[in-house]
Amino acid sequence: METSRRTVIAAAAAAGLTAATIGTAHAAGGSKPVRELFGKLADGTKIHRWSLANGGTRLKVLSYGGIVQSLEIPDRHGRYRNVSLGFDNIDDYVARTPYFGALIGRYGNRIGKGRFTLDGTSHQLSVNDGVNSLHGGAKGFDKRVWDVEGFTSGSDVGLVLHYTSIDGEMGYPGTLRAKVTYTLTRNGDWRIDYEATTDKATVVNLTSHVYWNLAGEGSGSVYDHELEIAASRYTPVDSGLIPTGELAKVAGTPFDFRRTKTVGRDIRVAHQQLLYGKGIDHNWVLDKGITARPEHVATLRDPSSGRTLTIASNEPGLQFYSGNFLDGTLVGTGGHIYRQGDALCLETQHFPDSPNQPSFPSTVLRPGQTYRTSTVHSFGA
């Protein structure tokens, strides 16, 4: 927390402000969120961008997909860079995005063959990843327009996003009312709180799909980033990237990040799981399991800038995706082409294909229950 404050002071000093002045502003909290027009959809729907700043972190969020369009943090010298991949226009988000920065639902990750059975009733979902359903189907929460309201609360600032998914949308049963709160704290943490209720038994697994590059968006490969994941097991997959049901030990495999190592150290090892994913695209079984409050799950560090990202969550799983399908056809916010390995995702969530895997933690939500989960991203340098 002191690290965040030091980086804020360093940046302020470069602008000619005093430490005393910035310290007072830091204690008082961030400014009120600002809304501006970002673009329009083909049907004329206006898409807004909200800008927030607090504790040394700057965040820009779209009403389309709840997308994090930009997240800026300072390096060890107080110099700011956007550390998340994205686009500078709405058209690319609609037509081309591989889930850059998006809210994911109803079900984050894959469901095998787009089918599951709940309480004796079979449900066929939208299939959009070969024969499987990925991230909620062809038009998941990432492609919906959310109602967004800005707020200030004490020293915190943030956004509350609402979306109602009707019964049968993308094949899912029940009308699901989702509420997601993005909060920037006085320490510069970015917290996400997810809530949802339903009027019929359904499955739900919400997450955030930010692509991280702590050296800065468009700066090249993240293979030199250092990563630690607090997990002794992972879920191996078949050739369609659907979990086999096994909870395999990471020891002796390229998936062992219990001790910090570079992302790229073992990524080209001839291991069948890496061949299936064209790199890493797997779920880690977190040692802590499901917890009442967010607990540490991973730490990412860029040696060149000194920037660090520490993630805490109450979820039991973490999907680590190493940007394998970035193929040089997308141009990002900074005008650079994105290529394989230019960013990575660390998605806190329940396990893929849980509705078809009885041994996995359940993702069933029933009427009268409230789905709640939280993830906190802390930054330093």
Side-chain angles (χ1 to χ4, degrees), residues 216-232:
E217 171 274 338
S219 63
S221 172
V222 294
Y223 288 168
D224 61 348
H225 280 35
E226 299 166 349
L227 178 64
E228 172 263 332
I229 302 175
S232 302

Side-chain angles (χ1 to χ4, degrees), residues 61-368:
V61 176
L62 305 183
S63 56
Y64 181 81
I67 287 169
V68 172
Q69 193 247 345
S70 173
L71 195 154
E72 296 179 299
I73 54 174
D75 66 6
R76 62 168 62 93
H77 302 295
R79 296 174 299 202
Y80 277 82
R81 288 288 300 272
N82 173 21
V83 297
S84 66
L85 270 56
F87 297 119
D88 62 3
N89 66 89
I90 191 59
D91 292 341
D92 279 344
Y93 279 111
V94 171
R96 299 167 58 79
T97 182
Y99 305 99
F100 284 152
L103 279 177
I104 301 298
R106 286 190 191 189
Y107 199 96
N109 222 307
R110 295 174 174 87
I111 294 180
K113 298 182 180 178
R115 296 198 300 263
F116 69 94
T117 299
L118 179 60
D119 297 338
T121 300
S122 295
H123 300 278
Q124 178 62 57
L125 307 175
S126 166
V127 172
N128 62 327
D129 182 48
V131 299
N132 303 316
S133 183
L134 174 65
H135 294 332
K139 194 174 181 182
F141 287 6
D142 61 294
K143 298 176 181 68
R144 305 290 178 173
V145 179
W146 292 66
D147 293 327
V148 185
E149 297 178 358
F151 71 86
T152 59
S153 177
S155 58
D156 296 339
V157 300
L159 303 172
V160 179
L161 302 95
H162 291 272
Y163 177 69
T164 298
S165 176
I166 63 173
D167 185 16
E169 185 174 277
M170 297 293 104
Y172 287 90
T175 294
L176 189 82
R177 300 182 185 279
K179 172 186 174 183
V180 180
T181 304
Y182 289 167
T183 303
L184 285 187
T185 73
R186 62 176 295 168
N187 300 308
D189 295 346
W190 173 40
R191 180 183 177 109
I192 311 176
D193 293 291
Y194 306 89
E195 295 182 24
T197 58
T198 183
D199 62 358
K200 292 182 183 178
T202 191
V203 295
V204 60
N205 188 30
L206 306 182
T207 191
S208 172
H209 209 291
V210 172
Y211 283 69
W212 301 102
N213 185 326
L214 297 183
E217 171 274 338
S219 63
S221 172
V222 294
Y223 288 168
D224 61 348
H225 280 35
E226 299 166 349
L227 178 64
E228 172 263 332
I229 302 175
S232 302
R233 295 177 183 271
Y234 76 108
T235 52
V237 297
D238 62 19
S239 59
L241 301 182
I242 300 299
T244 62
E246 179 187 5
L247 305 183
K249 293 182 178 179
V250 299
T253 77
F255 301 92
D256 192 351
F257 284 86
R258 291 174 296 172
R259 293 185 179 180
T260 300
K261 68 176 181 181
T262 60
V263 169
R265 195 185 82 177
D266 298 323
I267 206 164
R268 301 194 186 281
V269 170
H271 190 285
Q272 184 61 61
Q273 288 294 306
L274 295 179
L275 292 171
Y276 283 153
K278 295 183 174 57
I280 297 171
D281 192 2
H282 293 75
N283 169 68
W284 267 250
V285 180
L286 298 170
D287 290 340
K288 70 175 188 59
I290 299 173
T291 50
R293 297 180 179 179
E295 294 185 11
H296 172 77
V297 300
T299 299
L300 182 69
R301 180 177 181 272
D302 168 44
S304 65
S305 66
R307 294 187 184 94
T308 61
L309 163 63
T310 302
I311 300 177
S313 180
N314 54 9
E315 288 279 30
L318 180 75
Q319 183 81 8
F320 169 24
Y321 167 58
S322 57
N324 317 323
F325 299 104
L326 298 174
D327 60 3
T329 63
L330 303 177
V331 178
T333 50
H336 300 283
I337 293 173
Y338 295 151
R339 300 188 181 278
Q340 185 181 56
D342 279 359
L344 59 84
C345 301
L346 298 168
E347 306 156 55
T348 55
Q349 56 191 259
H350 272 54
F351 303 169
D353 202 37
S354 290
N356 296 311
Q357 304 278 355
S359 64
F360 287 1
S362 175
T363 55
V364 174
L365 180 69
R366 298 186 181 278

Side-chain angles (χ1 to χ4, degrees), residues 1-72:
M1 293 182 181
E2 274 301 306
T3 300
S4 295
R5 187 172 188 275
R6 283 197 298 271
T7 56
V8 174
I9 292 174
L17 301 177
T18 67
T21 299
I22 203 67
T24 300
H26 188 264
S31 57
K32 184 178 179 180
V34 175
R35 188 182 78 161
E36 62 183 329
L37 182 65
F38 184 72
K40 294 182 180 180
L41 302 182
D43 65 2
T45 301
K46 293 181 179 179
I47 301 302
H48 293 97
R49 179 170 65 181
W50 291 78
S51 298
L52 304 85
N54 202 12
T57 300
R58 303 167 180 169
L59 182 65
K60 293 183 178 180
V61 176
L62 305 183
S63 56
Y64 181 81
I67 287 169
V68 172
Q69 193 247 345
S70 173
L71 195 154
E72 296 179 299

